[in-house]
Amino acid sequence: MNSLSPSKFLSIPDNFSNHGGRVDHMIDVVHWLMIALFIGWTLFFLYCLVRFRQSANPKASYHGVRNHVSSHLEIGIVILEAVLLLGFAFPLWKERTDSWETVQQRNPIRVRVIGWQFGWTYHYAGADGKFGRIDHRLKTANSDPGIDLDDPNALDDFTTSVLKLPKGRPAILNIGSNDVIHNYAIIPMRIQQDAIPGREIPMWFTPNKELETSVVCAQLCGEGHGNMAGQMEVISEKAFDSWFAAESESALKRNSPAEATAAR
Ligand SMILES: [Cu+2]
């Protein structure tokens, strides 16, 4: 039965996030509904071709339908769809996804994601868990997040060009852009978000298997748009913690004023 699901025979890559199975289920339901509608409307179309063929209706009807059945039907459909949307779709979606409040309580890893023409830069807060101040005047390149090293919180911050996340821990990615509108999309995680200059918009998910995959830009953003595929790795929590600690420590060494003075 599973291989009969539209989300499978449409060749969507396997899911690697906690919530992704529910997205696939929704894709399945929507596609089965569309298939049913397609068959229904095709049959109706064929019926009309036969029923209103010229040979059986030599004289045109100049008044058409005289009753109000169709307007009543349309009003009924509007009401039905409003009930479906407000009564079922919104509450179901709320229940099925982790809310912003619950994800805060589950030790999330936070990463700033900066889109630029044409690539992605990741900014980690380092061991102190606090992102340094951002000053856009400090940027030396379009890919530069502009971290202000005068802020003590910034000293252990580090940036990468590959997104690394621990398995089984919620990830909150703050999506932003240094230039135009991009869209940060991780298909195996079933999540994406527009990257809008001047804003940081959080998106969150929990990777539940280790993998190496690519992220893509899903918003046509210029001539290099097609090259905006980046790399992403989900690794064990242990491997992540040691990588994170090492990166944070070397950033601290590089940036701390004492070291800098000693080197002079
Ligand atoms: Cu882009």
Side-chain angles (χ1 to χ4, degrees), residues 116-118 120 180-183 217-222 225 228:
W116 45 274
Q117 286 174 318
F118 294 94
W120 305 99
V180 300
I181 296 176
H182 301 277
N183 181 294
C217 180
Q219 180 67 262
L220 190 57
C221 60
H225 167 68
M228 274 188 79

Side-chain angles (χ1 to χ4, degrees), residues 165-168 209-211 233-243:
L165 293 176
K167 182 190 120 183
K209 283 173 226 149
E210 290 178 26
L211 91 153
E233 289 172 23
V234 176
I235 53 183
S236 74
E237 194 153 10
K238 213 173 136 215
F240 178 84
D241 286 344
S242 57
W243 169 79

Side-chain angles (χ1 to χ4, degrees), residues 189-204:
M189 299 294 160
R190 304 293 190 269
I191 199 152
Q192 65 184 101
Q193 169 62 50
D194 268 348
I196 299 177
R199 297 196 59 184
E200 273 194 23
I201 306 173
M203 72 178 197
W204 60 96

Side-chain angles (χ1 to χ4, degrees), residues 120-137:
W120 305 99
T121 300
Y122 303 100
H123 175 190
Y124 290 81
D128 66 353
K130 288 176 187 150
F131 288 104
R133 212 175 68 82
I134 299 301
D135 187 338
H136 294 280
R137 287 165 301 184

